[in-house]
Amino acid sequence: MANHPNAGKPAPLSQLANIPKLVSAYYLNEPDLEQNPGQCVAFGTSGHRGCSYNVKFNESHILAITQAICDYRKANNIFGPLFLGKDTHALSEAAFNSAIEVLVANEVHVVTQENDDYTPTPVISHAIVCHNKTHPHELADGIVVTPSHNPPEDGGFKYNPPNGGPADTDVTKWIEDRANQLLVEDLVEVELFPFAKASRSGFVKYVDLITPFVEDLANIVDLEAIAKAGVRIGVDPLGGSGINFWPVIAKQYGLDLTVVNEQVDPRFAFMPLDKDGKIRMDCSSPFAMANLVAIKDDYDIGIGNDPDYDRHGIVTKDGLMNPNHFLAVSIDYLLKHRDWGSEIKIGKTLVSSAMIDKVVKGNQREVYEVPVGFKWFVEGLSEQWLAFGGEESAGASFLRRNGEVWNTDKDGFILGLLAAEILAVTGKTPSQYYRELEAQYGAPVYKRIDAPASPEQKAKLKALSPQDVTASTLAGDAITDILTEAPGNNAAIGGLKVVTESGWFAARPSGTEDIYKIYLESFKGEAHLAELEQAAKTLVDSVIR
């Protein structure tokens, strides 16, 4: 699909969100599940998301979800504190307050950032992991109110259980079902305590979550090396929840770090439009990151993050790095500069670049390949047999320098600072480092496309088995593997992956649109990638139509 003519340009005034109208809709619009099943609570890979205008993210939804989480905590003997964070989206503020009313009514001890400030996803995960390490009999969990990089009109609400990472499907399904039951029953079992009283009840503890996170960063990234090398870092927080962390990090470690954009605006009016002409805080998009890319020559490393800081965008003097490229660089560097032992594994999603496989094999380690979703890395990171978990969508986390768990959710802070460490220690920017990997392993080309599919066809794609594919070659190469389960954990991938010696493709149905997504990669160049694309479409069509 062609890029929007205004991609990378400032949003016109007429396109900015009407915040009073948006927040009013949050309180005024009521979901009716019997008449409109599409208005139910639905947890995707990153919690429940939606907009208040179309009755997908409203006060009733949040009250029901929070009560369901309280019920889940009771059923699973989770009685420690709940760490509650929010990002800078307009609906995050409203939903945060709604959650407080229910949590306090259920006598849950809430810990949240002082001064009513924002808290990034990785900080909540880090707080949960650190608390539970020292309080194993008083387990904590957390909620982050965020729709991640979604447009300004959206709201989001996600739950992190005591392992600190994104909740697994069994947990989210339980919460989702309970929340929808509460909605159908007109919220009669939802306990509420007025916010004005709740915030002063003693059940809400306002603490400094910035200092302990910042002070601990030295145990995962070599900040002394960055300071000593004088790496000039430019940070564009994209108006997100980590904006007040960067000055503290710079001061604490003596870094030459400049926050190039200090604006926090729920309309995100400062954002360049994304490829489709929408405002979207996607730090992996060269259009959304246009402001930072424009000043790339002023800094050695540029760092951008999405609003809840679980993603990273890395800019060098060569421009914005492809997320797959930076994952490969990070993994190679860490395996060469951390004493993690030979038995550890490196986690990747099955739609991430095969360059990662080559890099991991070149470092005599094993790849742990899983379906899409960071939740699949939580157990390995928590138990410390997985040293790194990364997604092609620019989300990753890794172990501390001593091999112990840091957190179990994606962390944009540590990946951004790692880019600076790589330059400080090797003298090469991550993009220069990647070119050396290409010289060693080959230069893959990667692409993602969407293709139309009916609900019936999507269901068939999701239910495929390897035996449904009868082809023996793909784009002129012999097929070496046909996967409907991830080789790392044997979990269903909800689609199909076909592999050859020189390339691969994966096809997955969209959960929200009548399309399926095709991911492609070739080590033979653009012409072969085009052949691979056509062959992939033909093969998938033959088995779902």
Side-chain angles (χ1 to χ4, degrees):
M1 186 173 67
N3 294 324
H4 193 278
N6 292 330
K9 299 178 181 178
L13 192 61
S14 60
Q15 196 170 334
L16 301 181
N18 183 327
I19 301 303
K21 185 177 180 181
L22 182 72
V23 175
S24 294
Y26 172 83
Y27 291 104
L28 296 177
N29 288 347
E30 285 288 341
D32 185 343
L33 272 56
E34 293 181 353
Q35 296 296 319
N36 299 286
Q39 296 175 355
C40 68
V41 170
F43 273 76
T45 54
S46 296
H48 175 77
R49 294 184 187 178
C51 179
S52 59
Y53 290 145
N54 58 14
V55 203
K56 294 290 184 69
F57 192 92
N58 302 85
E59 182 183 33
S60 293
H61 291 108
I62 304 309
L63 298 179
I65 296 171
T66 309
Q67 183 62 55
I69 290 172
C70 292
D71 294 345
Y72 176 82
R73 295 179 102 245
K74 293 172 186 174
N76 290 275
N77 297 315
I78 303 169
F79 298 117
L82 182 142
F83 291 91
L84 179 63
K86 63 183 175 185
D87 77 356
T88 52
H89 279 77
L91 291 178
S92 295
E93 190 72 35
F96 176 91
N97 295 339
S98 298
I100 290 280
E101 293 184 320
V102 178
L103 292 167
V104 170
N106 282 271
E107 298 187 343
V108 174
H109 290 272
V110 178
V111 178
T112 192
Q113 176 61 29
E114 63 185 5
N115 301 320
D116 199 32
D117 205 351
Y118 312 105
T119 313
T121 289
V123 176
I124 294 295
S125 178
H126 177 267
I128 295 169
V129 168
C130 291
H131 177 277
N132 292 343
K133 185 177 181 179
T134 55
H135 301 80
H137 303 297
E138 192 184 61
L139 294 179
D141 54 2
I143 293 172
V144 189
V145 190
T146 174
S148 189
H149 61 288
N150 278 28
E153 294 86 355
D154 282 5
F157 202 84
K158 60 184 181 182
Y159 176 63
N160 286 33
N163 60 27
D168 205 346
T169 310
D170 58 338
V171 178
T172 57
K173 185 68 167 62
W174 194 99
I175 293 170
E176 179 183 298
D177 289 345
R178 175 58 176 153
N180 285 323
Q181 178 189 1
L182 291 166
L183 285 172
V184 169
E185 296 172 355
D186 295 325
L187 305 179
V188 292
E189 293 188 31
V190 172
E191 299 182 47
L192 279 172
F193 198 71
F195 179 81
K197 294 181 179 179
S199 61
R200 303 191 303 267
S201 65
F203 281 100
V204 183
K205 189 176 180 181
Y206 298 91
V207 303
D208 173 13
L209 293 173
I210 295 178
T211 299
F213 181 83
V214 170
E215 289 182 344
D216 207 9
L217 282 171
N219 294 310
I220 191 164
V221 179
D222 191 348
L223 291 151
E224 184 178 348
I226 298 171
K228 186 176 180 180
V231 178
R232 294 172 301 149
I233 305 170
V235 176
D236 188 344
L238 301 185
S241 58
I243 190 165
N244 293 326
F245 283 70
W246 289 113
V248 181
I249 293 171
K251 183 178 180 181
Q252 175 82 16
Y253 297 104
L255 303 184
D256 184 353
L257 186 154
T258 303
V259 176
V260 303
N261 171 25
E262 297 182 337
Q263 296 183 71
V264 175
D265 174 5
R267 302 173 305 164
F268 292 89
F270 50 81
M271 284 295 301
L273 297 176
D274 204 0
K275 60 183 179 181
D276 57 359
K278 294 183 179 180
I279 297 176
R280 187 181 290 106
M281 290 63 70
D282 182 357
C283 52
S284 66
S285 164
F287 302 104
M289 289 279 282
N291 290 339
L292 187 57
V293 173
I295 56 173
K296 60 184 175 60
D297 293 330
D298 296 342
Y299 302 96
D300 300 316
I301 294 291
I303 303 170
N305 301 97
D306 63 335
D308 75 316
Y309 268 65
D310 67 350
R311 298 189 186 202
H312 58 273
I314 306 303
V315 176
T316 71
K317 286 180 168 51
D318 294 314
L320 178 67
M321 284 195 73
N322 180 301
N324 272 308
H325 296 181
F326 185 62
L327 287 182
V329 168
S330 298
I331 291 165
D332 191 74
Y333 173 83
L334 287 168
L335 289 177
K336 288 178 167 59
H337 293 85
R338 298 291 190 270
D339 186 18
W340 281 339
S342 59
E343 73 286 351
I344 58 93
K345 298 180 181 181
I346 300 297
K348 59 165 282 197
T349 53
L350 60 89
V351 296
S352 298
S353 174
M355 176 65 92
I356 294 171
D357 301 73
K358 294 178 181 294
V359 164
V360 174
K361 184 178 179 181
N363 283 279
Q364 292 81 50
R365 300 306 207 287
E366 183 180 340
V367 167
Y368 180 70
E369 186 170 344
V370 298
V372 173
F374 200 82
K375 64 183 181 181
W376 301 108
F377 301 131
V378 173
E379 179 183 350
L381 289 170
S382 182
E383 296 178 359
Q384 298 161 190
W385 53 263
L386 196 64
F388 185 102
E391 297 185 308
E392 84 296 337
S393 56
S397 189
F398 50 93
L399 297 181
R400 295 169 181 264
R401 295 162 73 179
N402 66 0
E404 295 182 359
V405 60
W406 165 257
N407 63 15
T408 52
D409 212 328
K410 295 175 287 188
D411 193 329
F413 286 109
I414 62 172
L415 269 297
L417 292 168
L418 180 65
E421 179 189 330
I422 290 170
L423 175 57
V425 172
T426 68
K428 294 172 283 198
T429 67
S431 52
Q432 291 170 331
Y433 195 123
Y434 184 74
R435 287 197 288 272
E436 293 187 0
L437 292 180
E438 286 185 320
Q440 182 176 359
Y441 297 112
V445 285
Y446 183 97
K447 186 178 183 181
R448 200 201 97 175
I449 58 174
D450 297 335
S454 69
E456 294 77 17
Q457 291 164 343
K458 291 197 301 177
K460 193 168 184 180
L461 176 58
K462 192 173 183 179
L464 283 178
S465 69
Q467 290 72 34
D468 292 319
V469 178
T470 58
S472 59
T473 62
L474 183 72
D477 297 316
I479 293 174
T480 58
D481 217 345
I482 300 171
L483 303 171
T484 56
E485 294 180 346
N489 59 0
N490 298 319
I493 65 179
L496 174 72
K497 183 175 182 179
V498 179
V499 185
T500 72
E501 287 294 336
S502 56
W504 60 270
F505 85 85
R508 298 174 55 247
S510 169
T512 57
E513 302 173 84
D514 285 338
I515 60 172
Y516 68 88
K517 303 174 183 180
I518 299 181
Y519 305 80
L520 310 135
E521 187 173 45
S522 169
F523 276 80
K524 287 184 175 180
E526 292 287 352
H528 183 254
L529 186 72
E531 289 182 46
L532 195 60
E533 178 180 338
Q534 187 56 50
K537 288 179 178 177
T538 301
L539 191 153
V540 173
D541 285 348
S542 72
V543 296
I544 70 172
R545 300 185 194 282

